[in-house]
Amino acid sequence: HVQLVESGGGSVQAGGSLRLSCGASKYSTHCMGWFRQAPGKGREGVAVITDGTTSYTDSVKGRFTISQDNAKSNLYLQMNSLKPEDAATYYCAARRRGSCLLDWTLYENWGQGTQVTVS
């Protein structure tokens, strides 16, 4: 079981930037990603990464960047040009094997979430 702890959420004005971080207790995960859930909406995949290969949901392409440190023990999400519709609770997730997709149902390890507010 991988323990994941997110940080870096907060409140920002539209057009601003935030950087989310996620610390993993184990770095042997196959795939890690960021997911989000806005009030009253379902959880959606934002960005995922495996061995340097990334994938983004269309609405954040060109604005968000997912990355990992070399040890793969920390995951990051740089969010630029934030929009009100980006406001949500953001979750870090990991899976040990299988395809690295934006489908949140595939991931077995989750952090507690960090809140992002955009006004």
Side-chain angles (χ1 to χ4, degrees):
H1 180 72
V2 179
Q3 288 186 314
L4 303 170
V5 180
E6 303 99 334
S7 61
S11 183
V12 65
Q13 290 187 333
S17 298
L18 282 174
R19 189 188 194 213
L20 305 184
S21 298
C22 173
S25 61
K26 299 179 181 179
Y27 51 81
S28 59
T29 55
H30 166 63
C31 174
M32 295 188 73
W34 289 98
F35 299 78
R36 66 186 179 187
Q37 187 166 15
K41 295 188 177 181
R43 189 166 297 191
E44 67 166 338
V46 176
V48 295
I49 186 169
T50 180
D51 292 327
T53 299
T54 60
S55 181
Y56 298 90
T57 191
D58 286 345
S59 63
V60 308
K61 286 179 181 178
R63 300 188 298 123
F64 291 11
T65 303
I66 188 172
S67 62
Q68 283 179 300
D69 61 10
N70 289 336
K72 298 184 180 179
S73 59
N74 290 290
L75 181 72
Y76 306 100
L77 185 68
Q78 178 66 43
M79 305 186 294
N80 299 328
S81 302
L82 281 160
K83 304 176 181 180
E85 51 263 43
D86 294 319
T89 299
Y90 282 71
Y91 298 90
C92 172
R95 66 179 311 200
R96 291 184 299 170
R97 59 180 62 88
S99 298
C100 196
L101 302 175
L102 290 167
D103 182 353
W104 69 269
T105 64
L106 300 175
Y107 294 76
E108 64 266 15
N109 296 286
W110 291 86
Q112 81 287 352
T114 185
Q115 185 72 37
V116 171
T117 303
V118 184
S119 59

